[in-house]
Amino acid sequence: MESDEGDEQQQEAERLPLSQRPEWSDVTPIPQDDGPNPVVPIAYKPEFSETMSYFRAVYYSNERSSRSFQLTKEAICLNPGNYTVWHFRRQIIETLHADLQDELAFVGRIAKSNSKNYQLWHHRRWVAEKLGTGAVNKELQFTKKMLSLDAKNYHAWSHRQWVLQALGGWEDELDYCQMLLGEDIFNNSAWNQRYFVVTRSPLLGGLIAMRDSEVNFTIEAILGNPENESPWRYLRGLYKDDTESWINDPRMSSVCLKVLSTKSNYVFALSTLLDLICHGFWPSEEFREAINALNTPDSGPLDSDLGRAICRVLECVDPLRCNYWLWRKSKLPLTVSSQ
Amino acid sequence: MEPATENEWDRLSSSSSDGEEQAASDGSSSQFNRQQHVAFLMMMYESLPHHYQYQEINRITLAHFAISGLCLLGALDRVRVDKDAVSDWVLSLKAHPREFYGFHGSPSSQLHPDDNGVLMHNGSNLASTYCALAILKAVGYNFANIDSKSILTSMRNLQQHDGSFMPIHFGAEKDLRFVYCAAAICFLLEDWSGMDRERAKAYILNCQSYDGGFGLTPGSESHGGGTYCAVASLRLMGFIEDNVLSKNMSSSIIDLPLLLSWCLQRQAADGGFQGRANKPSDTCYAFWIGSVLRMLGGYNLIDKEALRGFLLTCQSQYGGFGKCPGDLPDLYHSFYGYTAFSLLEEPGLNPLCAELGMTEFSALGI
């Protein structure tokens, strides 16, 4: 895939107005009809207005020729958000039986500067869909390339998920997630993709089969950076719709205890422990001791109910969400003690 | 949004002071500069700088931000906006009967029928239609004069088998944004024949991620915008009751406690809201996420002072809001900045209907 946009940029710099091009001399451009009292009128640049006026002319007359095809390229480069231009280009591609591989290459060339453009990604999907399973490798390569520029590009991830589900190519996906997480363990998109693979890949055994190894991987990530929200959410997600197994897996509470014992970056450890307790987990005495040892500013005897005690600590150490922790505390069932 | 260059904002800075309210010399300081924002919106309303040409297909959306924005600031009646001219312009963008009979985003995709009266190309779409109706509500247009039937009947053709919506008849990406637009359109036209609500609900539920937020499509990463579209749609369709957090949460069709936890965790250390975990704060999520919390009855659980502080660092001295602290302002972040301040109950701003993204007065047709 070409990574530079030399072609398109060069053409922009050397642009001859359409009105001066002999091959367009027979066409009357259609100016935009803004009506008598336009709202939010835009101060269009001349080349923009001219290109769109010529586009309107061929669009209106439904001229699906190679000059129209070329014009849609120019219009896209000037106005990549205009979905009618992209749509007409697709109509021309079908009429002229244009080469789809060339089309992928074109999209590839302008992708970098239009990386968050919905129309570009939809167009890419349309071409890939026509090419079918033969396009798998190219599409995985393309999205990988785009993600190397921005590892959280939402469009790239959407496209990648569509490719996997529609065309296949699951073989290396878990490894790819692993690699991205190795580069940035805080990349929530990569965690999300990991979940996607683990739960949907036809090559893996499904969530329950994968759960054990995933729990171990996630706990390692948590212990490395306990302040990272992503693995905590992921860990909980591994037990989605299976609360019983979640509270009964000793690793859930033990990771909380481990983090609490370090006395730093323990906010998620506390909130996770709170959630476990709320769902029926019975904490042993060592949890109380660990929380006691935190020596948070709000001193005073620890509440006999461990859930309440945790809420009070969180009110101090996660002050942004103080109102939430007060509210959580108010929702706790009344119990005599934590055991 | 394309970033503006410094000199494109010269005319803004030269006409920014109105004398009525003294803006702080550093506009991003301790108060919401309502007067400055009104001036900014009026300038956008009258003419958008050329870098907005990339948004031109969605001009009606830009018009919605400007006009609904003025409405939020309580300024629509005071300024030089001719409401009849506005409704005329919006109505001129209505598609003539064929495929989806909604509204176009701009005249650029709108061509007149040929000599035989046949309209070859219909670029009307759901997002533009929602914006059109929002503007018409803001200017108090009588909805009895709108051909609802043609909009709603044709809209059903845009709903997919899985419950999602395509925005336009000739095909485009399908995701929660257009489910929201469809639900809002039905709600505003007071007629649910435009969509199959059960199927839409099923699609929305499939979009709830393992962490409680909603992605734009099933399987995708939970995201502030997706979460707003999900919850607002369910609210509009009647699947989530008022103030649900104070009621029996376990009977909810979505995982409410997890959603709540996810939403509140989106408030970052700088006081602003992020759209996804471990991403920077951005003005607009104060609306997308803030609205979700408002709709669920949990807005008071956030740290309002911290949020206000963050938003004020995104306030431009020229009026308007940018995406991040210190950024130049753009219409999109400005509008969502105003909605965020309305949620914060800033004096002088009209109350917001979170589900519809417009003032309560507009939504109720007052």
Side-chain angles (χ1 to χ4, degrees):
Chain A
M1 191 207 96
E2 290 183 45
S3 57
D4 65 290
E5 300 151 39
D7 255 12
E8 277 68 31
Q9 278 174 350
Q10 199 180 19
Q11 280 168 25
E12 227 175 278
E14 300 167 351
R15 186 184 179 275
L16 185 67
L18 286 147
S19 55
Q20 291 171 27
R21 299 183 211 178
E23 68 273 21
W24 285 98
S25 56
D26 62 305
V27 172
T28 310
I30 301 178
Q32 180 164 304
D33 179 6
D34 249 4
N37 295 304
V39 178
V40 296
I42 300 172
Y44 302 110
K45 279 198 158 150
E47 62 263 28
F48 182 98
S49 299
E50 198 204 29
T51 306
M52 289 311 297
S53 297
Y54 275 86
F55 169 75
R56 267 185 289 274
V58 296
Y59 188 50
Y60 186 52
S61 64
N62 203 17
E63 182 193 311
R64 304 190 189 184
S65 63
S66 66
R67 72 175 175 181
S68 294
F69 191 53
Q70 171 62 26
L71 184 62
T72 59
K73 176 156 95 162
E74 288 188 48
I76 281 166
C77 290
L78 275 175
N79 192 5
N82 189 313
Y83 47 78
T84 52
V85 177
W86 285 99
H87 171 61
F88 192 53
R89 187 174 173 89
R90 286 190 282 275
Q91 290 184 307
I92 298 170
I93 286 172
E94 298 204 290
T95 302
L96 299 184
H97 304 292
D99 188 292
L100 295 174
Q101 297 290 347
D102 286 349
E103 193 62 9
L104 284 184
F106 163 63
V107 174
R109 282 193 303 273
I110 63 168
K112 188 174 172 183
S113 48
N114 295 290
S115 64
K116 300 191 178 173
N117 175 307
Y118 282 98
Q119 288 69 46
L120 177 135
W121 286 98
H122 174 70
H123 190 78
R124 182 95 195 184
R125 184 187 295 207
W126 181 86
V127 178
E129 199 158 27
K130 278 190 164 308
L131 287 168
T133 50
V136 162
N137 288 334
K138 236 184 185 150
E139 292 317 284
L140 291 178
Q141 263 306 105
F142 173 67
T143 49
K144 186 172 182 176
K145 175 81 186 201
M146 295 305 291
L147 290 167
S148 72
L149 299 171
D150 172 2
K152 302 181 184 184
N153 183 326
Y154 205 85
H155 301 265
W157 281 116
S158 272
H159 187 74
R160 198 171 173 93
Q161 289 193 344
W162 171 79
V163 169
L164 289 165
Q165 294 198 283
L167 307 178
W170 295 91
E171 296 77 24
D172 302 321
E173 198 61 12
L174 194 58
D175 285 345
Y176 179 57
C177 292
Q178 187 84 359
M179 188 206 81
L180 286 175
L181 289 172
E183 287 176 358
D184 178 11
I185 198 70
F186 291 85
N187 184 342
N188 196 65
S189 307
W191 281 103
N192 182 75
Q193 186 71 353
R194 195 176 179 107
Y195 196 84
F196 182 81
V197 176
V198 162
T199 52
R200 297 176 193 235
S201 169
L203 304 177
L204 303 170
L207 179 58
I208 294 175
M210 295 290 292
R211 188 184 276 160
D212 210 51
S213 55
E214 287 301 296
V215 165
N216 291 331
F217 171 77
T218 310
I219 284 175
E220 220 184 287
I222 286 172
L223 293 173
N225 293 94
E227 75 281 22
N228 184 359
E229 180 186 352
S230 299
W232 289 102
R233 297 280 186 200
Y234 186 81
L235 190 65
R236 177 81 181 267
L238 290 172
Y239 281 99
K240 189 174 182 314
D241 303 323
D242 193 356
T243 310
E244 202 61 34
S245 304
W246 179 56
I247 61 172
N248 288 324
D249 185 334
R251 293 173 294 183
M252 298 299 109
S253 53
S254 78
V255 67
C256 296
L257 191 59
K258 277 200 182 91
V259 174
L260 283 167
S261 310
T262 69
K263 297 185 192 164
S264 76
N265 296 317
Y266 51 77
V267 172
F268 290 122
L270 280 175
S271 62
T272 301
L273 187 58
L274 177 67
D275 287 341
L276 284 164
I277 291 170
C278 287
H279 282 89
F281 170 72
W282 291 97
S284 62
E285 195 53 32
E286 50 183 347
F287 288 93
R288 172 173 293 281
E289 284 159 15
I291 290 163
N292 257 333
L294 293 177
N295 284 324
T296 48
D298 172 38
S299 293
L302 209 53
D303 206 305
S304 60
D305 174 52
L306 197 59
R308 293 183 67 81
I310 291 172
C311 287
R312 288 187 66 183
V313 174
L314 282 166
E315 285 160 37
C316 284
V317 301
D318 190 18
L320 213 52
R321 276 161 281 278
C322 181
N323 294 330
Y324 173 59
W325 300 121
L326 281 163
W327 180 80
R328 286 291 301 268
K329 192 169 70 184
S330 74
K331 294 284 179 189
L332 288 171
L334 294 163
T335 55
V336 176
S337 70
S338 60
Q339 281 188 267
Chain B
M1 284 268 175
E2 288 292 313
T5 55
E6 290 286 345
N7 56 18
E8 279 156 1
W9 298 108
D10 282 349
R11 66 194 176 98
L12 277 171
S13 58
S14 66
S15 65
S16 60
S17 74
D18 195 18
E20 254 185 87
E21 262 176 44
Q22 276 301 310
S25 55
D26 163 16
S28 66
S29 59
S30 60
Q31 56 178 5
F32 177 82
N33 294 329
R34 188 175 157 278
Q35 208 50 44
Q36 213 80 297
H37 293 303
V38 173
F40 172 82
L41 285 181
M42 277 314 297
M43 189 149 309
M44 297 292 103
Y45 171 78
E46 282 163 4
S47 173
L48 289 168
H50 69 81
H51 64 267
Y52 278 94
Q53 66 192 15
Y54 305 107
Q55 311 290 325
E56 64 88 39
I57 193 73
N58 297 315
R59 235 166 88 195
I60 201 165
T61 305
L62 301 172
H64 160 54
F65 291 154
I67 292 162
S68 302
L70 285 166
C71 200
L72 272 166
L73 298 178
L76 194 57
D77 292 323
R78 290 194 314 129
V79 297
R80 301 177 298 281
V81 169
D82 178 345
K83 291 180 182 175
D84 289 333
V86 168
S87 42
D88 284 346
W89 181 79
V90 170
L91 292 165
S92 76
L93 292 167
K94 174 89 165 55
H96 305 284
R98 191 176 172 105
E99 295 114 353
F100 173 55
Y101 310 158
F103 287 79
H104 284 84
S106 99
S108 77
S109 74
Q110 195 185 28
L111 293 159
H112 302 291
D114 65 16
D115 296 329
N116 296 318
V118 176
L119 182 73
M120 281 293 302
H121 304 288
N122 175 3
S124 71
N125 68 82
L126 284 180
S128 301
T129 302
Y130 160 75
C131 290
L133 296 179
I135 296 171
L136 292 174
K137 278 286 184 191
V139 298
Y141 185 75
N142 184 355
F143 268 43
N145 297 331
I146 296 177
D147 177 14
S148 309
K149 269 295 166 220
S150 68
I151 295 175
L152 293 163
T153 314
S154 57
M155 194 161 85
R156 282 200 87 106
N157 296 327
L158 297 177
Q159 188 163 22
Q160 305 299 294
H161 184 70
D162 64 0
S164 67
F165 270 85
M166 244 172 18
I168 199 167
H169 76 92
F170 53 64
E173 66 278 14
K174 302 177 270 292
D175 58 53
L176 270 185
R177 292 173 298 152
F178 306 117
V179 173
Y180 171 73
C181 292
I185 290 165
C186 286
F187 190 90
L188 289 167
L189 296 177
E190 298 179 66
D191 185 337
W192 290 95
S193 64
M195 64 192 288
D196 180 334
R197 276 181 280 184
E198 286 296 326
R199 270 196 291 144
K201 177 181 84 174
Y203 182 77
I204 294 170
L205 298 183
N206 279 334
C207 290
Q208 187 166 28
S209 164
Y210 62 85
D211 62 11
F214 289 78
L216 280 170
T217 56
S220 60
E221 189 185 1
S222 55
H223 180 277
T227 304
Y228 172 83
C229 290
V231 176
S233 300
L234 291 172
R235 283 278 303 146
L236 290 169
M237 293 192 287
F239 293 121
I240 297 180
E241 55 186 317
D242 281 347
N243 213 9
V244 70
L245 284 176
S246 61
K247 291 163 188 167
N248 180 11
M249 288 208 283
S250 58
S251 63
S252 175
I253 54 172
I254 59 178
D255 187 339
L256 261 184
L258 204 56
L259 170 61
L260 179 64
S261 164
W262 183 85
C263 287
L264 291 168
Q265 198 59 46
R266 302 287 54 83
Q267 187 165 22
D270 61 9
F273 277 84
Q274 58 191 192
R276 297 180 261 168
N278 296 329
K279 288 215 79 180
S281 302
D282 172 336
T283 300
C284 65
Y285 293 107
F287 168 76
W288 301 119
I289 307 274
S291 286
V292 172
L293 291 165
R294 163 64 67 85
M295 290 188 278
L296 300 177
Y299 191 73
N300 290 333
L301 299 176
I302 72 166
D303 185 331
K304 293 181 189 174
E305 274 315 300
L307 175 60
R308 198 164 187 280
F310 171 80
L311 290 173
L312 288 173
T313 65
C314 298
Q315 177 175 247
S316 165
Q317 58 181 300
Y318 305 123
F321 284 87
K323 175 182 159 112
C324 299
D327 279 359
L328 287 167
D330 62 70
L331 250 185
Y332 168 93
H333 289 97
S334 299
F335 176 74
Y336 290 113
Y338 306 147
T339 55
F341 269 92
S342 174
L343 287 171
L344 286 167
E345 295 174 333
E346 176 70 23
L349 264 58
N350 280 318
L352 181 78
C353 170
E355 286 82 355
L356 289 170
M358 59 181 69
T359 62
E360 295 253 329
F361 300 125
S362 303
L364 295 168
I366 295 169

